[in-house]
Every structure is written in C-alpha cells, then in structure tokens.
Amino acid sequence: TVGTGELVYRQYRILRYVRGQPVRSPSPPPPSTPRCRSCACRCPPVPRWSCRRPDHCWPEQLTAFVTQFGITHALIPPAALATVPDGDLPTLRTLLVGGDATSADLVRRWATGQPMINAYGPTESTEVTSCTEALEPGGKPPVSRPIPGTSVRVLDDALQPVPVGVTGELYVSGIGLARGYLDRPGLTAQRFVADPFGRPGARMYRTGDLVRIRDDGQLAFMGRADQQVKLRGFRIELGEIEAVLAMHDAVAQVAVVLRENRLVAYYVPVGRVDAAELREHAGQQLPEYMVPTAYVVLERLPLNTSGKLDRAALPAPEREASTAGGFVAPRTEAERLVADVWADVLGLDEVGAEDNFFTLGGDSISSIRVVSRLRASYDVSPRDLFDHPTVTALAARLSGSTADVTPIT
C-alpha cells in the first residue's frame, strides 16, 4: 500500500462464499485482492462494486457511493468506517470489517443496525483466515477462530506454543496459504517457515500480528510486531499506547508513532479534550516512558488507497512551548548551555528558552544524562530538573537565583 509492495502468488483450488445476499464491496481493491473475492457471490451473478479512488474512503464519498449503488453487503476497513456518521449506510444488510484492528467503539456504533462480522486474514493466506459470528457491543472484538481448512497457532520466538493469556505471534497454515512472494526468495524464506506441527514439508506463515488466547479459546489482537519501537532502551508496543488513549471518552480515533526520538499521539476528538488531559490520562495507566510527549489534533486520520491508516502521511507536530508566544531563543550563557545540552541529549535541532524538558520528550533516564553533562559547570541534581523543567527556570537555578536573568548584550 505504501512504498514497494510484494506480489504474492497462489494456486486457486477453493472458492469461498458469503451466506445470504450477493456481495457488493465498497472497499478499494489493492493489487493484493485475490480473484476469489470477486467470485464471492451467489448465483445468478450480480454487480460487484469497488471503490478505486482514494477519496472514496472519505466519509461523504463513501456514504454517497454505498447509497447510490444500493450496496447491501460491504467489506470496509475499520479506519474508513470510523469516519462515517452513525446511520449513514442505510442500505447495508451485512457489514464486514477487516484489514485492520476493529475497536470496541466501532462495534458499539455499528453492530446494532445490521449483522457486523470481523474478518481477519493476511493476503498471504488468501485474505480470510477467520471470521467471527455477528458481533455484539461490549469489549474489544476477537480475531475469532479459523475457518475450515485453515490452522492458526500462537507461538513464541522459539516457535513454541504460548499459554492462555500470554501474547505471542500468530502463525497461519492450511490450504489457502500462498506459495510465496514473486521473485523474492529471501523474503519468502523469512516469512514462510517450516511447520513443525504439520506433515513433512508443510509450511506456515508468520503474520507479524501479536495475539493472545482468551479464556474462551478465541484470539485477541494485541498489536503488530513491526509496531514495536525502542526508545531510550525501552521496547514499546505502540498499539498498547493507542488502546489506552482510545479509552478516553472524547477520543474517536488515535495513532501513535515514534518521531524524532519522541512519542507523538495523533487523535480525532469527539468532545473537548486537550493535550494536557490526554497526557494525564495516559500517565495514569502507562509507565512514564510510554506516555506520548506530543499530541496533534486532526479532523481525520489520513488513509491510504486501501482505506487503512497511512502513518507516513501523519504531519510533523508543531513546536510546543510553555508559553503562547512560541519559540523564544536562549538569551544568556546559562540558557544557551542548558538549551544546547537538552538538544544534544534529546536529539533535537534547537531548544528554546521557554521549552519544557518533558514536553520535548525528556524523561527520568534522559534527565540523568542532562545532569551529568551540566555538572561539569554547575552543582545540579536530577531533582533540580524536575522542579525547574524549562530552560529559563533551570538556567536561573544554576545561576544561583530564581529571579529573572539579565540577557547578555
């Protein structure tokens, strides 16, 4: 969907049907869309519609498209569905969501008007690996159990099954498994591995999805293995941060990325909420190193041509300063020294006199590095940085006074 894609090649031996009415899908078909989905309708044949333009994932265009063509059965990515107002798809008789994680709030909004089914499956396993029964509001929807002919296993790094409740990576095997990536033998060998639980020569696919087995035997989606980032020595699962922020009543959608050595949260509000409130909300449930330090409010999250979140299109956050006046250049030698040390430790191009160390991405670990650097010139402790978190305040403390400092001319 972004960058250079991989072409998956498969042998078609099966044809799957969706029970009930013919399938008409408004989801845009990426190059990976298999032929079997186009055939997933009951005879006699009826038109199958697909959105081919990226702007058809926008709420107004998506609603108009579904209404104009009388779409009755739709497969819509969760990120696209989340932008559509409740009740704006009146012709739907069955709603399938797939291609990305589905939130509990989305189920609450859409599971009452028509049957809502959560479909899971990577392209490498002929699109559909598992389907739920009709979802009911309450709690995050499961990945569900595999369909006939498909097997799934939750394994650790040593390819050993994990216990119930423990997070592991999801592996898929079965008759729908692709042969591999066209002209990519290295990538094929990395993702399609030998199946130690199957017959000799059997393979399984590493999905990269992190799941855990619930007490009822169904699978709960926990995030993506490739969304794990490392920040100041800590391994962080971005999906876990997103899940916490999404629990706030005033947040409709949220995405978290690691940008310029700090965690940035992008959110679409449904009520009045600011960065300070979200930071406090996250801090009550997450350790300090997992709390985003920058928050960007958006009218809607950017989507790619497949209707999924386009993380590369998320805008860079604007500078956050302690005052409404924006960036203020350091004015004294002490301020310049503090600003230079902060910029070097935090990996920033520049730091202003009114900038807050913790808003810029600082934490307890980086504060120790700052103090170590400043002790070459001043008597300073980590407590001083916590008590005086702006450049101006800390520089005044280092100069032996909390009063206003006199600029050097």
Side-chain angles (χ1 to χ4, degrees):
T1 54
V2 293
T4 302
E6 290 80 35
L7 182 61
V8 174
Y9 63 102
R10 294 176 289 228
Q11 178 179 352
Y12 288 95
R13 297 176 292 176
I14 57 177
L15 180 64
R16 295 176 178 148
Y17 292 87
V18 175
R19 292 176 294 174
Q21 300 292 322
V23 175
R24 303 181 182 184
S25 169
S27 67
S32 64
T33 302
R35 196 169 299 135
C36 67
R37 183 187 290 178
S38 301
C39 299
C41 59
R42 300 291 296 271
C43 294
V46 296
R48 173 187 179 274
W49 304 98
S50 296
C51 298
R52 295 184 178 274
R53 289 167 43 189
D55 60 356
H56 278 163
C57 290
W58 297 348
E60 298 83 2
Q61 287 77 5
L62 179 57
T63 300
F65 184 90
V66 170
T67 303
Q68 177 184 354
F69 294 103
I71 305 298
T72 57
H73 291 62
L75 173 58
I76 305 177
L81 183 63
T83 65
V84 180
D86 297 357
D88 272 16
L89 303 176
T91 63
L92 287 186
R93 298 181 185 177
T94 300
L95 172 61
L96 289 88
V97 288
D100 209 343
T102 302
S103 67
D105 181 67
L106 207 59
V107 176
R108 177 189 61 80
R109 293 175 50 201
W110 290 98
T112 54
Q114 65 285 306
M116 182 180 184
I117 297 172
N118 187 29
Y120 168 82
T123 299
E124 291 82 354
S125 185
T126 319
E127 296 292 302
V128 178
T129 298
S130 64
C131 278
T132 65
E133 298 294 332
L135 298 173
E136 296 182 358
K140 190 174 181 179
V143 174
S144 191
R145 298 181 177 90
I147 62 175
T150 300
S151 297
V152 298
R153 298 183 185 276
V154 186
L155 308 177
D156 59 19
D157 293 340
L159 298 184
Q160 295 298 311
V162 301
V164 173
V166 176
T167 300
E169 185 172 356
L170 184 63
Y171 288 74
V172 178
S173 60
I175 59 176
L177 202 64
R179 293 184 175 183
Y181 300 106
L182 186 63
D183 297 330
R184 300 290 300 276
L187 185 61
T188 297
Q190 177 185 357
R191 306 303 297 182
F192 292 85
V193 299
D195 184 357
F197 310 97
R199 67 185 186 280
R203 300 176 308 147
M204 56 184 182
Y205 171 67
R206 297 182 59 180
T207 66
D209 290 327
L210 301 177
V211 301
R212 64 174 176 83
I213 305 174
R214 305 194 320 187
D215 292 336
D216 61 3
Q218 299 200 80
L219 301 179
F221 180 77
M222 304 303 294
R224 286 283 303 170
D226 54 14
Q227 280 190 276
Q228 287 184 340
V229 298
K230 195 169 185 179
L231 178 63
R232 301 185 184 97
F234 292 99
R235 290 193 179 276
I236 297 173
E237 172 58 54
L238 297 179
E240 185 176 350
I241 303 174
E242 294 171 348
V244 169
L245 293 175
M247 293 171 59
H248 195 287
D249 293 337
V251 175
Q253 294 177 274
V254 64
V256 178
V257 300
L258 180 63
R259 195 164 197 157
E260 295 180 349
N261 205 34
R262 61 173 174 163
L263 293 171
V264 182
Y266 299 84
Y267 66 99
V268 178
V270 291
R272 297 189 61 179
V273 61
D274 57 18
E277 184 176 345
L278 286 181
R279 187 179 293 112
E280 181 181 1
H281 171 77
Q284 292 174 350
Q285 304 180 58
L286 296 170
E288 177 192 357
Y289 63 86
M290 292 182 65
V291 177
T293 55
Y295 297 79
V296 180
V297 59
L298 298 175
E299 182 179 350
R300 60 169 64 109
L301 294 181
L303 306 179
N304 57 29
T305 55
S306 296
K308 298 182 182 181
L309 173 65
D310 188 355
R311 293 181 182 271
L314 292 169
E318 297 181 357
R319 170 179 293 275
E320 291 183 285
S322 301
T323 66
F327 180 79
V328 177
R331 297 154 295 183
T332 68
E333 290 295 342
E335 288 182 0
R336 292 186 188 115
L337 175 61
V338 171
D340 288 344
V341 170
W342 287 13
D344 186 49
V345 170
L346 299 179
L348 302 175
D349 292 335
E350 61 180 2
V351 171
E354 301 297 335
D355 284 337
N356 185 296
F357 178 75
F358 301 101
T359 300
L360 293 176
D363 55 22
S364 57
I365 294 179
S366 54
S367 70
I368 295 175
R369 296 175 57 196
V370 167
V371 169
S372 177
R373 295 274 297 274
L374 292 177
R375 276 180 175 169
S377 303
Y378 297 98
D379 181 16
V380 59
S381 70
R383 182 75 262 171
D384 292 327
L385 183 53
F386 280 86
D387 292 340
H388 308 86
T390 67
V391 169
T392 298
L394 184 59
R397 160 66 184 83
L398 299 182
S399 299
S401 171
T402 57
D404 291 340
V405 290
T406 303
I408 293 179
T409 57

